[in-house]
């Protein structure tokens, strides 16, 4: 079966993992994207944020959360008094999945499928085992379903705290951080403008609650 496991080195050194991930052909997404966008941040982070996948700008920059959603995320982190450099930020899927607009100019985000999520999961497991955070925050349904299982519903379980040793969908994981899920910051941008302030405030509140779980 395809998957990233054949490409993941037997190492807990983040820089080695990131380097090896550049060569990953664990699913077909590497074919059209520019590069692997591995996680970034402190290797000693107590809190890890997991998004869905890199977007257009992340794919070009090779860094996670640098596009419009990343800017929204930075603003929310600042409002929640969480220094981004103290955290580790990554995505469930490490390559940008997209379709081209009719004239081929724009690359339009396409949601990763279960196959790609499962194929890429060994990288996420390796990152979590390397960083060994106290808390993992899933940003959006894709990250939440990657970590907490495909039946997880963000609408009913947003903000609840789970223990990965008993809940969740990462059986191979040797560490057991607490896990919580909130929206993806892109949802604030996509939502109706008149709802943005309230959506932002609720997101910041979720980040504060998650940060308070750090032991
Ligand atoms: Fe490998 Fe993940 Fe990229 Fe697929 S998306 S090629 S599994 S790094």
């Amino acid at each position: 079966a395809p998957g990233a496991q054949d490409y993941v080195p037997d190492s807990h050194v983040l820089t080695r993992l990131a380097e090896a991930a550049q060569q990953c052909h664990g699913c077909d997404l590497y074919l059209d994207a520019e590069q692997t966008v591995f996680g970034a941040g402190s290797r000693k982070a107590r809190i890890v944020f997991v998004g869905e996948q890199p977007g257009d700008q992340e794919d070009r920059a090779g860094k996670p959360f640098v596009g419009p959603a990343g800017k929204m995320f930075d603003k929310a982190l600042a409002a929640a008094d969480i220094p981004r450099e103290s955290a580790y930020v990554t995505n469930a899927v490490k390559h940008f999945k997209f379709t081209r607009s009719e004239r081929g100019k724009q690359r339009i985000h396409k949601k990763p499928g279960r196959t790609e999520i499962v194929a890429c999961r060994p990288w996420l497991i390796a990152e979590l085992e390397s960083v060994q955070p106290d808390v993992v925050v899933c940003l959006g349904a894709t990250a939440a379903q990657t970590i907490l299982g495909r039946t997880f519903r963000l609408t009913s379980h947003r903000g609840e705290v789970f223990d990965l040793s008993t809940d969740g969908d990462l059986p191979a994981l040797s560490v057991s951080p607490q896990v919580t899920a909130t929206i993806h910051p892109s949802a604030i941008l996509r939502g109706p403008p008149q709802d943005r302030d309230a959506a932002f405030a609720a997101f910041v509140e979720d980040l504060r609650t998650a940060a308070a779980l750090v032991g």
Side-chain angles (χ1 to χ4, degrees):
Q5 62 277 351
D6 292 349
Y7 301 88
V8 180
D10 186 17
S11 170
H12 279 178
V13 181
L14 271 179
T15 48
R16 286 206 51 205
L17 296 174
E19 225 177 83
Q22 291 304 326
Q23 314 303 324
C24 184
H25 295 178
C27 73
D28 286 343
L29 292 186
Y30 77 94
L31 289 168
D32 296 326
E34 290 291 327
Q35 57 193 319
T36 305
V37 180
F38 207 66
S42 169
R43 62 189 167 86
K44 293 181 180 159
R46 298 293 84 224
I47 186 162
V48 168
F49 294 96
V50 183
E52 181 188 77
Q53 64 169 348
D56 179 71
Q57 292 191 34
E58 286 79 10
D59 181 54
R60 295 176 203 278
K63 296 195 182 88
F65 284 90
V66 294
K71 298 214 165 64
M72 179 61 78
F73 181 52
D74 282 345
K75 220 173 101 183
L77 283 178
D81 295 316
I82 304 168
R84 176 149 166 185
E85 59 282 4
S86 76
Y88 184 82
V89 179
T90 191
N91 283 300
V93 171
K94 270 42 170 181
H95 271 105
F96 178 36
K97 184 176 180 180
F98 61 92
T99 46
R100 290 202 180 271
S101 62
E102 224 157 83
R103 297 166 86 199
K105 288 245 167 74
Q106 267 183 321
R107 304 190 299 171
I108 301 158
H109 165 275
K110 220 177 149 194
K111 209 169 142 63
R114 188 71 191 169
T115 314
E116 290 133 3
I117 288 169
V118 172
C120 209
R121 216 159 44 177
W123 290 119
L124 181 61
I125 291 171
E127 287 174 297
L128 294 177
E129 289 183 336
S130 172
V131 177
Q132 302 189 5
D134 295 333
V135 180
V136 174
V137 183
C138 306
L139 301 172
T142 299
Q145 289 175 358
T146 301
I147 293 172
L148 292 165
R150 61 198 307 183
T151 60
F152 183 88
R153 291 291 168 265
L154 191 56
T155 39
S156 29
H157 301 291
R158 177 175 177 176
E160 282 178 33
V161 181
F162 298 91
D163 178 346
L164 270 196
S165 55
T166 47
D167 315 308
D169 200 23
L170 297 181
L173 195 68
S174 66
V175 292
S176 49
Q178 299 192 80
V179 181
T180 177
T182 180
I183 55 165
H184 192 282
S186 64
I188 302 169
L189 296 166
R190 278 197 317 264
Q194 69 272 20
D195 293 351
R196 252 179 223 179
D197 288 352
F200 179 78
F203 182 52
V204 170
E205 200 46 47
D206 284 351
L207 298 185
R208 275 189 201 283
T209 308
L213 295 171
V214 171

